[in-house]
Amino acid sequence: MDTNAVRLFVLAAEMLNITAAGKRLGLAPSVASARLAKLEIKLGADLFHRSTRKVTLSIEGMEFLPFAKEIIAQEDAALAALGRGKANVSGTLRFAASSTFAQLFVAPILPEFLERYPDVNVELKLTDTQVNLIDGGFDLALRNYTAEDSSLIGRKLAKDRRILCASPDYLKKYGVPNRPDDLKNHQLLVFINSKARKLTSKTDSTPHAFPPINSKPRVICDDGSSMRISAKAGVGICMSSIWNVYTELKEGSLVQILPDYQIDDQAAIWLVYPKSNVLTAKVRVFIDYLVEKIGSPPIWEL
């Protein structure tokens, strides 16, 4: 099957104008009509109803359209994988991500991506609350845990190491905890609906967790930036990803506490997309771009 003809069909179906679709692809009206006619002969079906006033999709055309789009998506993905598809990368990329991570690491690098791929538009859904990719119609999402959903495919972007931290002013006022049990006497900031995480140490075999069992957090929030700002302002002790607080750790406005205790999890930052979706060129190049710019190791681990 001639994929150029399939591409012309998809564009004509979207525009409901064969001449305009052909012009978009650099084809004369007669050539565009002949190419579609040849495709119809190949398929054994009329894809359009044509009249002197308008063009509409036939029932067969409506049935073939989703398959035609998938054929084009697969061709674009194959070309992108071979480094040949840049000129064909186009469309709107719907990307869901943590608002905190996106503000720090995605938004600042968007200008170069858009310059590289001028025919790609990006629609960002930024929230620290998980969204459903399939129901929401998203092409790609960033998540900070393994994609356990069997309907999703994931690519690991970076480790997501976490620590306990607080501001020097808070620690001066309330004291520095020396053991996890001391946390029960401190003001704690926790993320909404988060599970307690195990704390492990080579020198302490007693089971510990953050937040401690039966503790009552002083502040609960659903936004990583707000948690970082609150901890920096002296509200209390929080558990945070290194990427969220690495600048504050360097400047000293936040300090790590209980450094001998590790957060016992395998958290990582993943790029996930629906298994049912073809990995289109726009998604592939965006994944590659994020991997390129965020780096290995990522900037917050340097």
Side-chain angles (χ1 to χ4, degrees), residues 76-77 79-81 83 85-86 88-90 93 113 116-117 120 140 279-292:
D76 288 345
L79 291 173
K86 182 176 178 179
N88 294 323
V89 181
S90 62
L93 173 74
F113 176 79
R116 286 191 193 183
Y117 303 99
V120 176
L140 184 70
L279 186 58
T280 59
K282 63 186 178 184
V283 175
R284 181 182 293 277
V285 297
F286 192 62
I287 290 176
D288 290 343
Y289 182 74
L290 291 179
V291 171
E292 170 194 341

Side-chain angles (χ1 to χ4, degrees), residues 23-24 31 66 118 125 142-143 156 218 225 246 272 298:
K23 185 177 181 180
R24 178 81 66 85
V31 174
K125 172 67 173 179
L142 183 143
R143 290 182 175 172
K156 186 177 178 179
R218 192 71 189 276
S225 294
Y246 82 103
V272 299

Side-chain angles (χ1 to χ4, degrees), residues 4 13 68 124 145 174 177 183 210 225 239:
N4 289 324
L124 299 177
Y145 53 85
Y174 294 96
L183 294 172
F210 183 89
S225 294
M239 180 181 70

Side-chain angles (χ1 to χ4, degrees), residues 75-256:
E75 181 182 50
D76 288 345
L79 291 173
L82 296 173
R84 296 168 48 200
K86 182 176 178 179
N88 294 323
V89 181
S90 62
T92 298
L93 173 74
R94 303 194 70 230
F95 180 52
S98 155
S99 58
T100 307
F101 188 92
Q103 290 164 13
L104 292 173
F105 301 106
V106 178
I109 63 174
L110 272 182
E112 183 179 341
F113 176 79
L114 297 175
E115 186 175 347
R116 286 191 193 183
Y117 303 99
D119 294 325
V120 176
N121 300 316
V122 179
E123 180 181 328
L124 299 177
K125 172 67 173 179
L126 303 183
T127 174
D128 284 336
T129 303
Q130 180 180 334
V131 298
N132 187 299
L133 270 70
I134 297 174
D135 291 346
F138 293 101
D139 299 298
L140 184 70
L142 183 143
R143 290 182 175 172
N144 63 344
Y145 53 85
T146 306
E148 297 177 348
D149 189 334
S150 61
S151 65
L152 301 177
I153 298 175
R155 175 172 176 177
K156 186 177 178 179
L157 182 62
K159 291 182 179 180
D160 187 14
R161 188 164 63 92
R162 300 173 186 183
I163 62 169
L164 301 179
C165 59
S167 73
D169 289 342
Y170 172 85
L171 296 174
K172 183 178 180 180
K173 183 176 181 180
Y174 294 96
V176 179
N178 296 311
R179 288 176 46 80
D181 287 343
D182 297 339
L183 294 172
K184 296 178 181 179
N185 302 317
H186 281 268
Q187 295 186 168
L188 305 180
L189 294 83
V190 302
F191 207 82
I192 190 170
N193 296 329
S194 63
K195 298 180 180 178
R197 304 297 180 99
K198 293 181 180 179
L199 301 178
T200 61
S201 172
K202 294 180 180 179
T203 60
D204 185 357
S205 59
T206 305
H208 299 288
F210 183 89
I213 297 174
N214 298 325
S215 65
K216 294 183 178 180
R218 192 71 189 276
V219 176
I220 300 174
C221 67
D222 66 350
D223 175 73
S225 294
S226 298
M227 179 174 288
R228 178 184 68 247
I229 294 168
S230 297
K232 185 176 177 180
V235 170
I237 297 171
C238 73
M239 180 181 70
S240 179
S241 297
I242 290 287
W243 58 258
N244 188 30
V245 296
Y246 82 103
T247 298
E248 286 73 18
L249 293 173
K250 285 185 177 181
E251 68 186 19
S253 58
L254 286 174
V255 295
Q256 183 177 2

